[in-house]
């Protein structure tokens, strides 16, 4: 029984666990190795005939299996020690810092003990940075042992993140900060990315990795598949832009040997007549028919060491590896100490005869991680978007105002906090509850830092008696929905009985003088942990790309025709572009119509759309947070859709109208809000609940009339088409899918479609014309590891008042926002076969609302930001404008992405406030290093940039500025 001695407390309670926090500095990480294990393994067993016979028995067993398809004596096993350390999982971040110290100390010990045959690969710059901070002398030793050749740097991302959900710019920052740390501290840039444990890999990664210095990639995770065996071991992974990355997929430790038979054909080269290009729509169960059994790839990796909680390689791991080499040579199983770089250098010789994989790398398990713990997903997206918007504003101000000190330090610090929380057991929601206490603290730090940056920006802008600033963080002109919270006007405004502020008008300055826009009051949204909107006003305002508009709120009544909405009879609403009708008996959407879409006919069918369906969801295999219940669709909850049903008009006005559906779903009160805005085709949806049922998953349906055969899914800098009626076993296994900003169903002739937009909900499923968003999961948290310090915290809590942390996530107040966008044309292509950038554009606008902030400057000179619009073709988006961070010289980094899959000769008209400051333009990689082949043309007479950008290609340029 655990002792409950007194511990030093931090004086605060965790938001999610409710436990009083203990000071982690008082605890030490227990080491699995000690003097006793050292004697057992390093002294007694290493040369023991009995142990060597045990090793020989295993090697002969594996040799027999390998020998069924090739000569084992022709293989060269590259041995490299490593230790996977989860930044947080069944323990907190603070404990990981000490796990790292124990692991690196042990690696140095083994280098000293085995000076002629030890190599240790380490992959996390963030972890090394922690060691540098916590134990400088150990960090100095690591640098020394790296110089001596014992330590090999791999990876290059700040942490090993989830590789499906983070935004594309976040993945670039992972690489930028990680590789810069390696350069600054070790003087090297590794060429092998190291994401061994993410729950799937986004198809956009090859472009991001190859353009940030990677030439190869290792993972183990796709060997975890449950429905099929992914047969490819060595292959080229290809993004839609054409970037190819040498990739290998094999298990760590002896998993590669124990599971050899499942992947035996992956060690052969392709036949001359073998299929070269593969994806999930092609049956790969016959892959063996495409390889030449007489041609092998002789180089095989053996990457070994205790992992997850670090401490590897252990003494036992080391003795086993050394005897693999010693005994293996006797048995013609050739193990030798090597390096990751040597393995991939040898594999690269066979690139021309490797298969090419042109799809995501989908993991056929852990599908529940895309939806569990919804707050983590929502705040990740919210902070990604807010950070990019804030950085854009600060960058533009630094160009326009030489006195503005660019906040390099705080921006980088904030990005790194966001990146840390994208770790592959944190963002997926698969950590213990106490980890999320730490995560919410980091979110709060991010919000505080961003507020400081925005305040410093607004201090540089003279109010001119117009104290409210509105900044468009996107590069194009838009008719924007703008929410003005009362906190940016006057937090002491008196609210009416419905919780709304008074009617108001927004007066703002233009080149033609003062203009006015109506502001419709709105009550505060549902209160939970999602940082939903407070009381305030909505308005519609045309705003140019990167423009900052200054204005003031005036409390003035107005009369203006309201958008149509009614809850009487058949509940309906319309805004002149889109209209919808509800079933009064259930709240289902029975009709959506939109001007110029499907000839004005209904876009949905049946009486199930917008209904929430529940399923029993216990997970399986001891992984409730990770896994959906097997065949969950056979275990419906059978909720009544009429229990305490109420449909009412919530808002009615000239800017927007709102219908609210309230009901009980089983034991839980829920509401579903539908909102239409003036001159906007999008149907905006908001779901709230005080959720009470455990072991439950919720999905919300939209049955479209598209009869779509494909769903087009937004991914990292690309879009991925997937079948809605899959044929192959592997494609069918992708029944739970992930998206970034949208998933779209369009007709096969590209006449029209409907896109499901989201701002932090990633999981969905499709079948023909049906699309269902995974709305919520309430499942069991994992248990802490045996060595986890939180067990002491729990024991202290139990001793104090007998209470425990929550067992299940997803219980209590919860909400989610999403939207439906009916559109003409297909998702990427119009019916005339021209590109259609509108879906991505609307999705970006949904995820990047204008920033609204009180202006606090009182300078005599008014700084105007109304001439910073970049004009370029609609299918080419300017996705980042930032300061150079690789060298921090006087220059601006701009990044352009083609978003529809069409090669384009891009012409960029530069903004007036920028072009006369540009000295030179250079094309860069994602690390902001100049590339060798420069094709960009700058025409200073016309103030334009010209370059060719391929389908889904991303191009980055450095605008080197003058000293003016």
């Amino acid at each position: 029984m655990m002792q409950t001695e007194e511990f030093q407390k931090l004086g605060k309670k965790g938001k999610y666990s409710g436990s009083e926090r203990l000071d982690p500095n008082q605890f030490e990480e227990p080491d699995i190795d000690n003097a006793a294990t050292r004697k057992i393994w390093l002294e007694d067993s290493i040369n023991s005939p009995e142990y060597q016979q045990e090793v020989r028995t295993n090697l002969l067993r594996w040799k027999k299996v390998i020998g069924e398809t090739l000569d084992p004596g022709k293989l060269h096993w590259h041995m490299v020690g490593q230790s996977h350390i989860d930044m947080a999982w069944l323990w907190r971040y603070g404990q990981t810092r000490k796990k790292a110290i124990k692991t690196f100390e042990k690696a140095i010990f083994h280098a000293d003990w085995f000076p002629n045959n030890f190599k240790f690969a380490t992959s996390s710059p963030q972890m090394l940075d922690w060691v540098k901070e916590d134990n400088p002398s150990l960090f100095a030793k690591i640098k020394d042992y790296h110089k001596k050749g014992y330590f090999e740097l791999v990876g290059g991302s700040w942490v090993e993140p989830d590789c499906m959900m983070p935004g594309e710019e976040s993945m670039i920052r992972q690489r930028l900060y990680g590789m810069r740390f390696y350069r600054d501290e070790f003087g090297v840039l590794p060429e092998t990315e190291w994401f061994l444990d993410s729950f799937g890999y986004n198809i956009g990664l090859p472009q991001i990795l190859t353009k940030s210095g990677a030439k190869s990639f290792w993972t183990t995770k796709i060997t975890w598949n449950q429905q099929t065996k992914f047969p490819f071991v060595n292959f080229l992974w290809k993004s839609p832009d054409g970037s190819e990355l040498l990739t290998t997929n094999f298990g760590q430790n002896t998993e590669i040997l124990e599971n050899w038979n499942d992947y035996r054909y992956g060690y052969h080269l392709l036949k001359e007549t073998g299929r070269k290009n593969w994806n999930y729509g092609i049956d790969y169960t016959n892959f063996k028919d495409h390889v030449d059994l007489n041609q092998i790839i002789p180089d095989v990796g053996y990457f070994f060491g205790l992992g997850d909680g670090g401490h590897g390689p252990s003494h036992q791991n080391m003795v086993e590896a050394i005897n693999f080499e010693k005994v293996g040579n006797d048995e013609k199983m050739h193990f030798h100490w090597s390096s990751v770089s040597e393995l991939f250098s040898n594999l690269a010789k066979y690139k021309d005869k490797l298969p090419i994989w042109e799809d995501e790398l989908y993991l056929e398990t852990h599908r529940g991680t895309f939806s569990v713990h919804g707050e983590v997903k929502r705040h990740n997206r919210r902070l990604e978007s807010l950070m990019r918007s804030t950085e854009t504003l600060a960058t533009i101000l630094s160009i326009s105002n030489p006195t503005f000190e660019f906040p390099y330090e705080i921006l980088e610090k904030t990005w790194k906090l966001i990146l840390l929380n994208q770790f592959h057991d944190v963002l997926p929601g698969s950590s213990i509850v106490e980890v999320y206490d730490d995560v919410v603290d980091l979110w709060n730090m991010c919000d505080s830092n961003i507020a400081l940056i925005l305040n410093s920006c607004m201090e540089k802008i003279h109010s001119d008696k117009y104290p409210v600033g509105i900044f468009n963080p996107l590069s194009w002109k838009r008719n924007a929905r703008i929410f003005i919270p009362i906190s940016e006007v006057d937090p002491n405004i008196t609210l009416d009985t419905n919780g709304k502020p008074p009617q108001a008008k927004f007066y703002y300055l233009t080149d033609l003088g003062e203009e006015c826009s109506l502001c419709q009051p709105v009550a505060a949204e549902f209160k939970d942990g999602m940082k939903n909107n407070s009381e305030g006003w909505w308005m519609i305002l045309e705003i140019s790309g990167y423009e900052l508009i200054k204005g003031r709120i005036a409390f003035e009544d107005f009369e203006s025709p309201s958008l149509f909405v009614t809850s009487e009879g058949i509940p309906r609403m319309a805004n002149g572009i889109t209209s919808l009708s509800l079933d009064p008996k259930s709240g289902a959407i029975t009709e959506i119509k939109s001007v110029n879409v499907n000839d004005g006919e209904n876009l949905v069918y049946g009486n199930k759309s917008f209904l929430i369906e529940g399923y029993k969801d216990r997970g399986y295999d001891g992984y409730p947070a990770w896994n959906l219940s097997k065949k969950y669709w056979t275990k419906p909850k059978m909720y009544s859709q009429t229990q305490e049903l109420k449909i009412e008009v919530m808002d009615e006005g000239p800017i927007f109208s709102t219908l609210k559906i309230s009901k009980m779903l089983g034991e839980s009160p829920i509401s579903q809000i539908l909102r239409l805005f003036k001159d906007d085709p999008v149907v905006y949806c908001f779901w709230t609940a005080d959720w009470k049922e455990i072991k439950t998953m919720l999905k919300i349906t939209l049955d479209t009339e598209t009869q779509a055969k494909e769903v087009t899914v937004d991914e990292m800098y690309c879009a991925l088409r997937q079948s809605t009626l899959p044929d192959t076993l592997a494609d069918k296994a992708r029944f739970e899918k992930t998206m970034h900003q949208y998933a779209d169903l369009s007709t096969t002739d590209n006449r029209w479609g409907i896109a499901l937009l989201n701002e932090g909900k990633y999981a969905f499923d499709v079948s023909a014309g049906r699309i269902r968003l995974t709305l919520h999961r309430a499942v069991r948290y994992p248990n802490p590891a045996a060595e986890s310090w939180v067990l002491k915290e729990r024991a202290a809590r139990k001793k104090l008042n007998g209470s425990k942390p929550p067992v299940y996530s997803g219980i209590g107040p919860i909400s989610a926002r999403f939207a439906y966008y009916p559109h003409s044309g297909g998702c990427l292509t119009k019916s005339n076969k021209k590109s259609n950038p509108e879906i991505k554009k609307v999705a970006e606008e949904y995820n990047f609302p204008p920033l609204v902030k009180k202006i606090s400057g009182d300078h005599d000179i008014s700084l105007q930001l109304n001439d910073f619009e970049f004009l370029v073709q609609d299918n080419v988006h300017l996705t980042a404008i930032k300061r150079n961070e690789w060298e921090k010289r006087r220059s601006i980094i701009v990044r352009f992405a083609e978003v529809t899959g069409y090669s384009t000769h891009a012409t960029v008209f530069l903004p007036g406030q920028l072009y006369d400051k540009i000295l030179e333009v250079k094309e860069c990689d994602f690390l902001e290093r100049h590339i060798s082949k420069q094709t960009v043309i700058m025409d200073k007479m016309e103030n334009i940039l010209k370059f060719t950008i391929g389908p889904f290609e991303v191009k980055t340029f450095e605008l080197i500025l003058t000293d003016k």
Side-chain angles (χ1 to χ4, degrees):
M1 183 175 179
M2 178 175 291
Q3 295 182 355
T4 56
E5 64 263 37
E6 292 299 321
F7 297 111
Q8 185 175 349
K9 298 176 181 179
L10 293 176
K12 62 179 180 179
K13 287 187 177 181
K15 177 183 183 296
Y16 290 104
S17 71
S19 298
E20 190 166 3
R21 309 280 284 277
L22 301 180
D23 185 352
N25 293 317
Q26 64 194 304
F27 303 122
E28 289 299 324
E29 169 71 8
D31 197 338
I32 64 162
D33 279 320
N34 50 38
T37 61
R38 188 176 308 152
K39 185 177 188 308
I40 291 170
W41 292 107
L42 302 187
E43 297 175 15
D44 297 344
S45 298
I46 190 165
N47 294 314
S48 162
E50 292 82 6
Y51 181 72
Q52 289 180 347
Q53 183 55 44
E54 181 182 330
V55 170
R56 179 173 284 105
T57 299
N58 282 328
L59 287 175
L60 290 175
R61 175 168 59 86
W62 295 324
K63 180 180 179 180
K64 182 179 179 181
V65 174
I66 295 170
E68 292 176 5
T69 54
L70 57 85
D71 180 358
K74 292 183 178 180
L75 296 180
H76 300 284
W77 293 83
H78 297 253
M79 293 198 302
V80 181
Q82 58 100 23
S83 186
H84 181 60
I85 308 178
D86 288 322
M87 308 299 289
W89 179 34
L90 308 182
W91 48 84
R92 279 189 162 138
Y93 286 130
Q95 187 165 359
T96 300
R97 297 175 81 118
K98 294 194 177 182
K99 284 179 178 289
I101 289 172
K102 290 290 186 183
T103 302
F104 289 127
E105 286 177 339
K106 188 176 298 182
I108 289 172
F109 172 87
H110 285 144
D112 291 338
W113 195 278
F114 303 103
N116 297 320
N117 45 10
F118 181 71
K119 178 74 78 171
F120 179 77
T122 185
S123 64
S124 176
Q126 166 69 95
M127 204 164 297
L128 287 165
D129 197 37
W130 279 344
V131 173
K132 180 184 177 183
E133 181 180 337
D134 297 343
N135 194 328
S137 62
L138 175 59
F139 186 69
K141 281 187 177 181
I142 292 170
K143 294 175 74 170
D144 182 47
Y145 278 62
H146 170 259
K147 287 181 181 178
K148 292 176 179 178
Y150 294 116
F151 276 61
E152 181 181 13
L153 301 178
V154 294
S157 295
W158 188 242
V159 302
E160 293 179 28
D162 175 85
C163 290
M164 294 293 275
M165 293 179 283
E168 53 260 352
E169 190 63 29
S170 293
M171 293 302 295
I172 290 175
R173 302 309 172 95
Q174 290 277 6
R175 296 282 299 169
L176 176 65
Y177 295 133
M179 293 288 270
R180 196 185 66 189
F181 180 88
Y182 280 157
R183 180 202 66 181
D184 292 347
E185 298 293 343
F186 296 89
V188 299
L189 296 175
E191 295 181 341
T192 299
E193 186 50 278
W194 193 271
F195 297 148
L196 72 162
D197 202 30
S198 178
F199 310 143
Y201 302 91
N202 193 286
I203 191 173
L205 279 174
Q207 177 172 204
I208 292 172
L209 296 180
T210 57
K211 291 184 177 180
S212 58
K215 293 182 179 179
S216 53
F217 167 53
W218 174 54
T219 181
T220 70
K221 206 64 181 183
I222 308 304
T223 64
W224 284 46
N225 275 7
Q226 297 278 318
Q227 282 72 44
T228 70
K229 296 296 181 184
F230 188 75
F232 308 98
V233 176
N234 301 302
F235 57 97
L236 299 178
W237 187 21
K238 186 175 182 179
S239 283
D241 76 299
S243 298
E244 292 182 349
L245 183 66
L246 176 61
T247 301
T248 187
N249 171 53
F250 60 83
Q252 57 186 324
N253 300 310
T254 58
E255 292 171 8
I256 186 173
L257 291 154
E258 294 289 358
N259 300 323
W260 182 274
N261 210 35
D262 292 331
Y263 305 98
R264 60 193 183 275
Y265 299 112
Y267 298 95
H268 291 267
L269 298 173
L270 287 176
K271 293 177 180 178
E272 290 294 331
T273 57
R275 175 183 285 276
K276 187 75 172 174
N277 300 79
W278 296 79
N279 58 54
Y280 286 112
I282 298 168
D283 183 9
Y284 56 50
T285 60
N286 65 354
F287 178 61
K288 65 179 184 294
D289 298 334
H290 296 266
V291 300
D292 187 338
L293 294 180
N294 295 316
Q295 293 193 69
I296 66 167
I297 303 168
D299 296 278
V300 184
Y302 181 71
F303 300 162
F304 70 95
L306 281 179
D308 291 340
H311 292 267
S314 65
H315 296 339
Q316 181 179 358
N317 295 151
M318 286 299 300
V319 170
E320 182 179 56
I322 284 169
N323 277 282
F324 277 3
E325 182 177 32
K326 187 183 301 182
V327 178
N329 285 334
D330 295 340
E331 301 299 339
K332 295 185 177 179
M333 290 275 286
H334 303 301
F335 287 81
H336 65 281
W337 288 90
S338 182
S339 65
V340 174
S341 58
E342 182 181 344
L343 170 65
F344 277 100
S345 177
N346 290 355
L347 291 178
K349 300 172 185 176
Y350 303 94
K351 287 174 66 173
D352 291 342
K353 290 190 175 181
L354 295 180
I356 297 174
W357 184 253
E358 300 179 308
D359 215 322
E360 63 184 347
L361 289 170
Y362 183 89
L363 180 62
E364 296 173 1
T365 186
H366 294 359
R367 300 173 180 89
T369 58
F370 306 134
S371 50
V372 71
H373 218 305
E375 286 188 22
V376 184
K377 276 73 170 172
R378 167 60 189 140
H379 288 303
N380 174 68
R381 181 76 65 81
R382 180 183 67 83
L383 287 169
E384 282 182 325
S385 300
L386 184 56
M387 189 60 186
R388 286 175 60 182
S389 299
T390 301
E391 185 178 45
T392 298
L393 175 59
T395 301
I396 292 173
L397 272 173
S398 73
I399 299 169
S400 303
N401 186 344
T403 67
F404 178 72
E405 185 176 350
F406 189 77
Y408 281 107
E409 185 175 344
I410 193 170
L411 275 168
E412 180 176 328
K413 179 180 178 181
T414 309
W415 265 118
K416 286 179 176 177
L417 294 176
I418 294 170
L419 303 181
L420 176 59
N421 277 347
Q422 291 178 341
F423 181 74
H424 64 252
D425 276 309
V426 175
L427 178 55
S430 51
S431 292
I432 57 173
V433 61
E434 288 86 354
V435 166
Y436 296 103
D437 294 341
D438 296 342
V439 167
V440 75
D441 287 347
L442 298 184
W443 290 337
N444 290 337
M445 290 174 64
C446 290
D447 280 315
S448 296
N449 290 346
I450 290 170
L452 285 173
I453 297 168
L454 287 175
N455 287 336
S456 70
C457 290
M458 292 303 167
E459 288 173 358
K460 292 295 181 182
I461 300 171
H462 185 47
S463 68
D464 294 324
K465 299 182 181 180
Y466 292 89
V468 178
I470 298 174
F471 175 67
N472 177 12
L474 297 176
S475 62
W476 57 81
K477 182 181 291 187
R478 58 200 278 207
N479 279 322
R481 295 181 308 128
I482 297 173
F483 175 72
I484 303 176
I486 62 170
S487 60
E488 300 300 333
V489 178
D490 180 358
N492 298 313
I493 291 172
T494 300
L495 307 178
D496 67 16
T497 56
N498 294 315
K500 298 179 181 181
Q503 281 190 329
K505 295 179 181 178
F506 183 75
Y507 290 91
Y508 58 99
L509 287 174
T510 72
D511 292 338
L512 301 178
E514 188 177 73
E515 296 190 18
C516 173
S517 183
L518 301 182
C519 298
Q520 184 175 333
V522 65
E525 292 181 337
F526 184 76
K527 285 183 169 56
D528 58 4
M530 294 294 194
K531 290 189 178 292
N532 294 321
N533 288 335
S534 66
E535 306 88 347
W537 300 267
W538 281 105
M539 69 173 179
I540 307 294
L541 191 65
E542 183 178 81
I543 185 168
S544 295
Y546 298 145
E547 182 180 11
L548 189 143
I549 290 177
K550 297 186 295 185
R552 60 183 176 87
I553 287 284
F555 302 126
E556 300 177 7
D557 290 337
F558 56 80
E559 292 185 6
S560 184
S562 296
L563 304 182
F564 173 76
V565 60
T566 181
S567 59
E568 301 297 323
I570 297 176
R572 293 172 293 153
M573 57 195 314
N575 65 0
I577 295 178
T578 295
S579 63
L580 59 87
S581 301
L582 305 182
D583 182 344
K585 297 180 180 179
S586 67
I589 294 176
T590 57
E591 182 179 272
I592 299 177
K593 293 182 178 181
S594 194
V595 173
N596 298 324
V597 179
N598 194 27
D599 299 323
E601 297 296 321
N602 194 3
L603 308 181
V604 297
Y605 69 88
N607 57 2
K608 299 291 186 183
S609 291
F610 209 57
L611 296 185
I612 297 172
E613 301 166 297
Y615 298 91
K616 297 176 184 177
D617 187 8
R618 299 171 179 266
Y620 68 92
D621 290 348
Y623 289 92
W626 291 262
N627 294 337
L628 305 178
S629 287
K630 289 185 176 179
K631 295 185 178 180
Y632 72 84
W633 51 86
T634 65
K635 304 162 188 172
K637 283 277 194 172
M638 305 303 292
Y639 289 132
S640 167
Q641 298 292 340
T642 61
Q643 185 181 358
E644 299 185 27
L645 173 67
K646 182 180 180 182
I647 303 176
E648 58 187 319
V649 174
M650 187 175 172
D651 298 291
E652 185 175 6
I655 306 302
F656 66 92
S657 61
T658 311
L659 279 173
K660 180 180 180 181
I661 305 161
S662 306
K663 65 175 73 170
M664 292 292 294
L665 211 60
E667 305 169 9
S668 306
I670 72 162
S671 69
Q672 294 168 261
I673 290 170
L674 291 160
R675 182 168 285 166
L676 292 179
F677 281 83
K678 179 183 178 182
D679 299 329
D680 188 342
V682 178
V683 180
Y684 296 93
C685 309
F686 185 47
W687 170 77
T688 73
D690 183 5
W691 194 254
K692 302 181 183 300
E693 291 187 54
I694 62 173
K695 300 177 183 178
T696 303
M697 176 174 63
L698 302 179
K699 285 181 172 280
I700 188 165
T701 300
L702 188 73
D703 286 324
T704 77
E705 287 279 15
T706 58
Q707 300 180 33
K709 293 183 179 180
E710 291 181 331
V711 58
T712 304
V713 185
D714 184 45
E715 304 285 359
M716 295 178 188
Y717 283 131
C718 62
L720 176 64
R721 291 186 176 98
Q722 301 182 48
S723 174
T724 63
L725 297 168
D727 293 322
T728 68
L729 290 175
D731 210 6
K732 290 177 180 179
R734 295 195 290 176
F735 53 81
E736 187 80 348
K737 303 180 184 298
T738 62
M739 61 177 155
H740 277 212
Q741 295 179 350
Y742 70 79
D744 182 272
L745 295 176
S746 291
T747 59
T748 56
D749 59 3
N750 288 321
R751 285 196 311 113
W752 67 276
I754 299 181
L756 168 61
L757 312 179
N758 79 88
E759 56 170 28
K761 285 291 179 186
Y762 295 86
F764 72 102
D765 66 75
V766 291
S767 179
R770 168 174 290 182
I771 187 166
R772 300 193 305 174
L773 179 69
T774 306
L775 200 57
H776 188 57
R777 292 185 77 217
V779 293
R780 182 181 287 270
Y781 279 109
N783 293 320
E787 77 276 15
S788 180
W789 300 341
V790 304
L791 293 173
K792 301 177 187 295
E793 193 172 274
R794 294 184 181 193
R797 175 178 178 174
K798 185 176 181 181
K799 179 183 178 182
L800 179 67
N801 56 27
S803 66
K804 300 178 181 179
V807 177
Y808 290 86
S809 67
I811 300 300
I814 192 72
S815 63
R817 261 191 281 262
F818 56 97
Y820 300 119
Y821 172 37
H823 58 84
S824 60
C827 180
L828 304 175
T829 304
K830 299 176 182 178
S831 58
N832 62 6
K833 299 186 178 181
K834 293 183 178 180
S835 71
N836 186 8
E838 287 303 311
I839 291 77
K840 179 63 175 177
K841 181 178 177 182
V842 171
E844 286 274 291
E845 292 175 358
Y846 186 58
N847 278 270
F848 289 88
L851 296 178
V852 178
K853 194 70 178 172
K854 188 180 294 184
I855 296 173
S856 54
D858 57 1
H859 303 281
D860 293 334
I861 299 175
S862 175
L863 175 62
Q864 303 292 335
L865 292 184
N866 57 0
D867 187 18
F868 230 95
E869 189 170 25
F870 289 75
L871 299 177
V872 65
Q873 289 95 323
D874 287 345
N875 65 312
V876 179
H877 287 186
L878 177 51
T879 65
I881 175 167
K882 61 185 291 292
R883 297 305 297 238
N884 180 299
E885 292 183 275
W886 187 252
E887 300 291 351
K888 292 189 178 178
R889 55 177 168 247
R890 182 170 168 74
S891 62
I892 302 298
I893 300 297
V894 292
R895 201 170 346 268
F896 293 91
E898 199 288 317
V899 299
T900 61
Y902 281 73
S903 183
T904 302
H905 297 295
T907 300
V908 182
F909 291 87
L910 298 170
Q913 288 197 42
L914 179 61
Y915 69 78
D916 61 345
K917 295 181 173 68
I918 298 174
L919 183 66
E920 191 177 8
V921 179
K922 293 287 188 181
E923 186 171 352
C924 306
D925 63 10
F926 291 163
L927 299 184
E928 301 169 5
R929 304 173 300 177
H930 297 169
I931 65 173
S932 58
K933 187 177 181 181
Q934 294 286 328
T935 58
V936 61
I937 297 172
M938 181 175 178
D939 186 332
K940 290 193 174 184
M941 295 295 294
E942 298 292 334
N943 304 321
I944 60 175
L945 294 181
K946 293 182 179 180
F947 55 90
T948 299
I949 189 167
F952 296 120
E953 188 179 8
V954 183
K955 290 208 173 238
T956 302
F957 302 102
E958 181 182 27
L959 310 182
I960 302 170
L961 304 181
T962 65
D963 294 329
K964 296 178 183 179

